[in-house]
């Protein structure tokens, strides 16, 4: 399924029990992101490890280890039934639009289609359609009548208890998931030893987060799911084949912040950047804004002599009592690189 994925890796599925919200970096309440980014997932797991009494051990293993993190997470992407959706490799998407399918309207494609793309095979346009609400390329199957989610607005009323009768109505955007749909992430342990040490704590953290919520508006019960489902990830070949490929690129399924030891050829490749902001969730000082970070977005394809590693950056203000980390560890897979025509 994933080229070159280690044997000690798992797909984890979350089946939402209500709305989820991933706030855009603009902060607009009437907008929502479609992806729960890997840096937010790392922060959520770190908060859960605090509640489980494993914070210092977790940070030593997952953020400060000299030989790389013991555990990495991809971003959370949608799934529907057996179909896992991913941002396609940017150097291969979109294909030339057909008379039937507007491919550039699709932000996510089934992972089964990626092998077709990197092999250079033609896509059968009769088998696909774009769901405009979720921006997913959907297989033409009788049991799939809609995409995995849709964006909706939920109305809220703020009541001023000090001034009688003063109310303010506002709306908040959220994602509502179809029956049989949800979000998935890839959990990669660095070694068998790392898996033995951290599989059960990570499972516990995900169970805690499924009950307490991911993302925004958790106080309203948003972001919750059924108990997470773990599935061992069978590795695909070392790299997906493409006869005309002359180089290897690395396709990202996480946000990425370069480590000092990474050597990326920034003059080439096909990548996009994203600016990440947010607020600090710490008992020390809750709600302070995080410094903005420029990161490489999911779906980007980087050219490098070896697999990118990534790093965690400390964003704590000068007088903050502890580090505030933004994880940019790479979850990247080798794909053949073809120079765009």
């Amino acid at each position: 399924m994933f080229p070159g994925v280690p044997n000690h890796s798992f797909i984890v599925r979350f089946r939402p029990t209500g709305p989820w919200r991933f706030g855009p970096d603009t902060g607009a309440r009437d907008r929502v992101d479609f992806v729960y980014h890997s840096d937010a997932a790392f922060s959520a797991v770190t908060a859960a490890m605090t509640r489980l009494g494993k914070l210092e051990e977790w940070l030593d293993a997952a953020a400060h280890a000299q030989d790389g993190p013991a555990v990495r997470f991809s971003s959370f992407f949608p799934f529907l039934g057996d179909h896992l959706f991913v941002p396609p490799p940017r150097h291969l998407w979109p294909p030339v639009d057909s008379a039937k399918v507007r491919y550039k309207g699709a932000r996510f494609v089934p992972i089964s289609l990626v092998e077709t793309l990197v092999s250079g095979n033609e896509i059968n346009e009769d088998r696909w359609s774009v769901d405009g609400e979720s921006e997913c390329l959907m297989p033409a199957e009788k049991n799939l009548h809609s995409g995995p989610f849709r964006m909706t607005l939920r109305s809220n009323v703020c009541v001023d208890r000090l001034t009688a009768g003063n109310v303010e109505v506002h709306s908040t955007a959220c994602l509502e998931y179809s029956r049989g749909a949800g979000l998935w992430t890839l959990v990669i342990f660095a070694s068998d030893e790392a898996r033995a040490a951290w599989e059960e704590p990570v499972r516990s953290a995900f169970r805690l987060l499924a009950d307490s919520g991911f993302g925004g508006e958790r106080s309203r019960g948003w972001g919750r799911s059924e108990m997470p489902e773990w599935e061992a990830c069978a590795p695909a070949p070392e790299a997906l084949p493409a006869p005309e490929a002359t180089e290897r690129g690395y396709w990202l399924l996480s946000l990425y912040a370069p480590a000092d030891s990474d050597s990326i050829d920034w003059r080439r490749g096909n990548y996009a950047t994203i600016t990440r902001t947010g607020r600090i969730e710490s008992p020390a000082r809750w709600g302070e804004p995080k410094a903005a970070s420029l990161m490489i977005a999911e779906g980007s394809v980087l050219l490098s002599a070896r697999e990118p590693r990534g790093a965690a950056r400390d964003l704590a203000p000068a007088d903050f009592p502890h580090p505030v980390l933004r994880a940019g560890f790479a979850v990247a897979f080798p794909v053949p690189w073809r120079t765009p025509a």
Side-chain angles (χ1 to χ4, degrees):
M1 180 179 294
F2 296 97
V5 69
N7 292 327
H8 24 265
S9 304
F10 292 86
I11 292 169
V12 186
R13 297 178 188 242
F14 297 88
R15 299 182 185 272
T17 57
W20 283 44
R21 173 173 171 77
F22 315 134
D25 287 324
T26 62
R29 297 193 67 88
D30 60 348
R31 296 289 185 269
V32 64
D33 202 342
F34 290 176
V35 172
Y36 188 60
H37 295 290
S38 56
D39 61 334
F42 180 90
S43 294
V45 170
T46 299
M49 291 295 180
T50 303
R51 296 172 66 181
L52 294 171
K54 291 184 173 293
L55 177 62
E56 296 304 323
E57 300 169 66
W58 169 252
L59 291 178
D60 287 342
H64 303 320
Q66 294 296 316
D67 55 351
V71 190
R72 291 174 287 152
F73 307 107
S74 75
S75 296
F76 285 31
F77 304 114
F79 75 83
L80 179 59
D82 294 331
H83 298 288
L84 303 179
F85 292 90
V86 292
R90 284 181 58 89
H91 70 309
L92 301 175
W93 194 263
V96 177
D97 274 335
S98 70
K100 297 181 179 180
V101 184
R102 187 174 178 272
Y103 292 115
K104 64 182 179 181
R107 181 178 175 185
F108 307 102
V109 305
I111 198 165
S112 58
L113 186 65
V114 174
E115 185 171 357
T116 301
L117 291 172
V118 300
S119 299
N121 295 329
E122 186 175 347
I123 299 174
N124 184 348
E125 62 184 17
D126 293 326
R127 294 185 53 199
W128 307 97
S129 63
V130 177
D131 176 63
E133 287 192 298
S134 64
E135 300 180 6
C136 289
L137 187 71
M138 300 295 297
E141 298 178 6
K142 292 182 179 179
N143 61 332
L144 298 181
H145 304 294
S146 63
F149 62 86
R150 63 176 182 172
M151 188 194 81
T152 61
L153 290 173
R154 296 285 186 98
S155 296
N156 311 278
V157 177
C158 294
V159 179
D160 188 341
R161 297 173 183 264
L162 299 178
T163 305
N166 186 12
V167 299
E168 179 182 348
V169 179
H170 63 274
S171 296
T172 304
C174 63
L175 302 179
E176 296 181 345
Y177 289 84
S178 306
R179 184 185 300 273
L183 299 109
W184 70 277
T185 184
L186 186 65
V187 179
I188 299 178
F189 296 97
S191 62
D192 289 331
E193 292 77 12
R195 175 185 170 183
W198 287 105
E199 180 178 354
E200 189 52 43
V202 171
R203 285 179 182 253
S204 297
F206 276 156
R207 288 193 290 264
L208 176 59
L209 291 165
D211 188 57
S212 59
F214 292 88
E217 302 292 331
R218 298 192 297 275
S219 62
R220 301 172 60 184
W222 292 12
R224 297 179 183 177
S225 82
E226 300 174 8
M227 284 297 97
E229 302 168 11
W230 285 65
E231 174 187 342
C233 186
E238 183 180 355
L240 296 171
E244 65 273 36
T246 58
E247 291 184 88
R248 171 177 296 186
Y250 288 93
W251 167 47
L252 288 173
L253 289 185
S254 67
L255 295 184
Y256 169 66
D260 292 339
S261 59
D262 289 339
S263 55
I264 308 298
D265 185 352
W266 297 110
R267 298 168 299 175
R268 300 189 300 147
N270 193 318
Y271 54 91
T273 60
I274 181 173
T275 300
R276 298 289 288 155
T277 55
R279 293 188 177 276
I280 299 172
E281 296 186 6
S282 167
R285 295 209 302 259
W286 191 276
E288 289 195 24
K290 292 182 181 179
S293 300
L294 190 67
M295 305 183 78
I296 306 300
E298 304 93 341
S300 296
V301 177
L302 303 176
L303 294 182
S304 174
R306 58 183 180 274
E307 181 180 349
R309 174 175 161 181
R313 297 171 177 168
D314 185 2
L315 306 178
D319 58 345
F320 209 77
H322 61 74
V324 177
L325 300 177
R326 187 182 300 283
F329 299 114
V331 173
F333 300 99
V335 293
W337 171 257
R338 295 196 301 273
T339 304

